[in-house]
Amino acid sequence: MELRVPCVRNAILLKQAAAMVVRFTSLRQLPLSLTGTSISSNRHYRSMPTHGIGRYKYLLPKEIQRKRKEKLQMKQLKMGTDTEYGVLNIQVTGHDMTILEHYSQYIHRLCNQLKINVEESYAMPTKSTEISQLQEKGTKMNVEAVILTHERIVQVSGLSSTLLPVVVEVLQTNQPEGVHLCIKEHTEADFHSRFKARPELEGLIAQIN
């Protein structure tokens, strides 16, 4: 009996060792396909989309549905009084867009510091001017250069009559070279000049009406 017990134990240990060897060899013989330097295995999650990983819906703010942009309507013109002006357009024009943009931002910041109500600030359509030269012998015109004129407008309202001269003096002191400054009252024609003219569409609308 004493000899049979160690023999049985040795048989059990041999079976366990054989099973471990089989598992190890099966793991080493997994189906792998080598293409260049990439290794691909039969893992299903590799082909699944990952754009939703890490986005926890209960932590993110609710997405607001974008409404369709309505046609821009003209605001009612504010009439001035004896002590303050109505709606004024601070108009700056120039050929260098970078300088013009910085100057319009300076005007906007100045109005905010002086607590002047800024209705809106916007850019007008860029105008192009062609400079042509007539040939000495002939009637053909050669285009020498094309000059672009940029325009920015800062629209303010409720500016007092005593503060306006101070604002004009500060703006003229810091006015860069090549920039034209103009301050005038806002009119309905100024509002319509913001949009590009489409004579073909206007003709079709006139025919329908």
Side-chain angles (χ1 to χ4, degrees), residues 46-168:
R46 287 184 181 273
S47 61
M48 295 175 63
T50 58
H51 57 266
I53 293 177
R55 290 179 60 87
Y56 302 99
K57 294 183 180 179
Y58 61 91
L59 294 177
L60 295 174
K62 293 183 179 180
E63 296 181 356
I64 302 174
Q65 295 182 354
R66 294 183 179 180
K67 296 182 180 180
R68 187 177 179 182
K69 290 185 179 181
E70 298 179 356
K71 187 177 180 181
L72 187 62
Q73 300 291 336
M74 181 179 175
K75 298 179 181 179
Q76 187 176 2
L77 295 177
K78 297 179 182 178
M79 303 302 295
T81 60
D82 296 335
T83 57
E84 67 178 23
Y85 293 92
V87 181
L88 296 177
N89 286 346
I90 304 177
Q91 176 184 359
V92 288
T93 56
H95 305 297
D96 194 334
M97 186 175 64
T98 305
I99 296 175
L100 194 71
E101 194 70 31
H102 284 296
Y103 188 53
S104 63
Q105 291 176 6
Y106 167 75
I107 296 173
H108 202 146
R109 287 196 298 268
L110 178 65
C111 293
N112 291 337
Q113 291 175 0
L114 297 177
K115 296 181 180 180
I116 300 172
N117 184 26
V118 179
E119 294 288 337
E120 58 180 337
S121 58
Y122 52 90
M124 295 293 289
T126 303
K127 300 177 182 178
S128 59
T129 305
E130 292 185 355
I131 299 177
S132 303
Q133 185 179 8
L134 183 63
Q135 295 180 357
E136 294 181 0
K137 295 181 181 180
T139 57
K140 189 176 180 180
M141 302 286 288
N142 294 330
V143 178
E144 295 293 332
V146 178
I147 298 177
L148 299 178
T149 305
H150 308 282
E151 183 177 347
R152 300 290 184 271
I153 291 178
V154 180
Q155 194 176 100
V156 298
S157 63
L159 184 60
S160 63
S161 57
T162 56
L163 186 59
L164 180 61
V166 179
V167 174
V168 172

Side-chain angles (χ1 to χ4, degrees), residues 181-193:
L181 175 66
C182 178
I183 301 176
K184 61 179 183 178
E185 292 186 355
H186 181 66
T187 59
E188 187 176 355
D190 295 330
F191 174 77
H192 292 294
S193 64

Side-chain angles (χ1 to χ4, degrees), residues 171-203:
L171 293 180
Q172 288 180 344
T173 304
N174 298 282
Q175 182 179 355
E177 295 182 0
V179 175
H180 177 69
L181 175 66
C182 178
I183 301 176
K184 61 179 183 178
E185 292 186 355
H186 181 66
T187 59
E188 187 176 355
D190 295 330
F191 174 77
H192 292 294
S193 64
R194 294 177 60 179
F195 308 103
K196 188 176 181 180
R198 302 178 65 181
E200 296 179 358
L201 181 60
E202 293 176 358

